[in-house]
Amino acid sequence: MPPRTVVIGVDSSTQSTKAAVTDTETGELLAVGRAPHVVTGEGGARETDPEVWWLALCDAVAAGLKESGLSPSSVVGIAVAGQQHGLVTLDRAGRPLRPALLWNDMRSAPQAAALVAELGGPEAWTARTGTVPVASMTATKWRWLRENDPSNAEATASVRLPHDFLTERLAGVAATDPGDASGTCWYSTATGAYDPDLLERLGLSVSMLPEVAATGGTRIGSLTDSAAEALGLPAGIAVAAGTGDNMSAAVGLGLGGAGLLDHPVLSLGTSGTVFAASRTRPASTALSGFAGADGTYLPLACTLNCTLAVDKVASLLGLHRDDATPGGEAVLLPYLDGERTPDLPTSSGLLTGLRHDTTPQQLLGAAYEGAAFTVLRALDELLLACGLDPADPEVAGRPLRLIGGGAQGRTWVETVRRLSGRPLIVPGSGELVALGAAALAASAAGGGDPVAVAARWNEKSEDAELPASERDTETWERIGSVLDRASEPLLGG
């Protein structure tokens, strides 16, 4: 019997790093090593020192390998999936010049508005990059840095995304993939390359950016001697291009050209996202028209306020997160960190509909409803971007795959089920971002198409399937009415 071989899929997220030690043949998750990150900043600022990510990656890999009980010699490949959009600026020696600006850093909202106007409006950006700049996008952060920290901007020799930075530390090669690159707003999903006109407008050059590999599973190099020593792994193993966290989750679910197409996914985490892999290039100003990690497209809508915002409300009320009941007349839009969808970067939370008999449990339930409504409202736009009619009974009955930390919470699941009126599938495979990264690593190590790899692994997954319930249209319409009628002064937008 041949010796067992494994790959390591790394999920470098906002709050932590996870390293999934995964059997290359079966996809069995043998161990997951974890290490925390530190996020700093107030008043809209969110930053992390990129060196924290590298140290966390080393610690997580060591912990995962130790937990698995396997020899390092069994590892044949590694790939990183990282939080999207973060701006990493490096000097000529490849060292970070300053803390990275994270995806949820909202200080670049004015720069986003200026960039949209300079190119001629949202439609012009959608046609070029697939995505309209908002404060989350990397291009806006680079513009902010040039205007607010010009000395470091001037000293910048290279610009990287979080996963690019880590991949370069692994292989010594400056590489990215179409998926993560498509979240910068200087990569064109129409041409599949960096847009030279946009780079000129931003004061960037192609030489400052990593080369774009064909897919996230492309082998872009081998683990260097120095990285191997830091990680305790064999030098020379395959390093994949890797991708962004949302693209990796899609791979982990088996969504893509060699798997499921046009099947919606709702991810409940720090942010709330709804996405699907599609052959159709999205052209909606309401969505992020990203590329997938495997050559498909990944139309996506993202909200800033999801599980952490609801947990904050629970804390303020002195309740456990599952001590919630439906909100009744109360409507709570928990936009505690500003909001990306809808584009209200300076907004704050809004509570209305209070009565003498409103209970704390209803207020918490209203927070769940407001957060779930915000991301679910983008679902119809997502389906249209995939070339589907949301009113078609077959499309309306297509199950919604529910992932992320919130998918393990009873109240989250029931709130989404009640407000969507759709059947739900909660995948049995845990750590989908890390699993997707592991499939990319397996692909780089010679395993074939990464989506096909993940789909084969998922054949043994025990998914939870929940039938559709009657849609709570009364609550849906009440929340929608409040959001549509709330003026900018009320929301602080």
Side-chain angles (χ1 to χ4, degrees), residues 34 47 56 126 326 365:
R34 293 174 170 84
E47 298 183 343
T126 298

Side-chain angles (χ1 to χ4, degrees), residues 135-484:
S136 299
M137 303 300 169
T138 323
T140 73
K141 299 180 187 305
W142 173 249
R143 173 69 67 88
W144 181 92
L145 192 73
R146 294 188 73 197
E147 295 177 3
N148 293 274
D149 190 2
S151 60
N152 274 323
E154 183 65 27
T156 298
S158 303
V159 171
R160 301 288 184 264
L161 296 167
H163 116 263
D164 305 341
F165 169 77
L166 294 171
T167 300
E168 190 168 5
R169 282 286 176 93
L170 294 173
V173 175
T176 190
D177 85 303
D180 215 9
S182 67
T184 60
C185 279
W186 58 62
Y187 174 91
S188 172
T189 55
T191 64
Y194 294 126
D195 187 307
D197 175 60
L198 294 179
L199 291 179
E200 184 177 355
R201 287 173 181 271
L202 293 164
L204 287 169
S205 64
V206 172
S207 64
M208 298 172 70
L209 304 175
E211 185 175 347
V212 183
T215 73
T218 300
R219 180 171 183 162
I220 53 90
S222 303
L223 194 66
T224 66
D225 290 341
S226 59
E229 182 178 358
L231 294 170
L233 296 177
I237 65 171
V239 177
T243 192
D245 51 4
N246 289 300
M247 295 78 190
S248 188
V251 172
L253 285 165
L255 272 61
L260 293 170
L261 288 168
D262 305 324
H263 280 246
V265 177
L266 182 71
S267 176
L268 300 168
T270 303
S271 62
T273 59
V274 59
F275 61 85
S278 181
R279 293 284 190 194
T280 303
R281 181 177 181 267
S284 168
T285 58
L287 299 173
S288 296
F290 295 144
D294 70 331
T296 57
Y297 296 101
L298 198 77
L300 177 149
C302 177
T303 68
L304 292 182
N305 299 276
C306 197
T307 57
L308 287 184
V310 172
D311 284 351
K312 178 62 175 179
V313 174
S315 175
L316 290 172
L317 294 170
L319 297 175
H320 183 272
R321 61 167 60 102
D322 280 326
D323 291 339
T325 61
E329 293 185 55
V331 172
L332 203 168
L333 300 175
Y335 300 165
L336 308 187
D337 288 321
E339 192 44 78
R340 170 173 165 180
T341 305
D343 186 18
L344 297 165
T346 61
S347 65
S348 56
L350 176 66
L351 172 62
T352 186
L354 284 178
R355 299 292 184 184
H356 281 290
D357 59 354
T358 302
T359 67
Q361 290 76 15
Q362 286 178 314
L363 289 182
L364 180 55
Y368 275 100
E369 291 167 354
F373 171 91
T374 302
V375 66
L376 280 171
R377 195 160 79 152
L379 182 57
D380 284 354
E381 194 71 33
L382 172 77
L383 295 170
L384 288 169
C386 294
L388 302 173
D389 178 5
D392 183 324
E394 189 278 328
V395 175
R398 195 167 290 186
L400 185 61
R401 283 168 170 78
L402 201 61
I403 66 172
Q408 307 307 311
R410 172 180 55 81
T411 305
W412 275 114
V413 172
E414 287 307 311
T415 303
V416 170
R417 185 166 172 246
R418 176 165 55 89
L419 291 182
S420 70
R422 287 176 171 270
L424 301 183
I425 295 176
V426 181
S429 300
E431 307 296 351
L432 283 165
V433 174
L435 182 67
L440 297 176
S443 177
D449 184 280
V451 173
V453 169
R456 186 183 78 244
W457 290 350
N458 287 339
E459 289 175 358
K460 298 180 180 179
S461 175
E462 295 182 3
D463 300 340
E465 300 186 20
L466 303 175
S469 63
E470 183 177 356
R471 190 176 191 184
D472 185 353
T473 55
E474 181 180 350
T475 297
W476 181 270
E477 291 171 0
R478 182 171 57 252
I479 299 172
S481 176
V482 170
L483 179 55
D484 291 339

Side-chain angles (χ1 to χ4, degrees), residues 25-37:
E25 180 59 32
T26 66
E28 181 184 357
L29 192 61
L30 302 174
V32 180
R34 293 174 170 84
H37 297 169

Side-chain angles (χ1 to χ4, degrees), residues 1-28:
M1 185 175 180
R4 168 177 265 176
T5 60
V6 299
V7 288
I8 297 178
V10 177
D11 172 8
S12 180
S13 69
T14 313
Q15 304 291 335
S16 67
T17 293
K18 301 172 186 175
V21 181
T22 308
D23 188 291
T24 54
E25 180 59 32
T26 66
E28 181 184 357

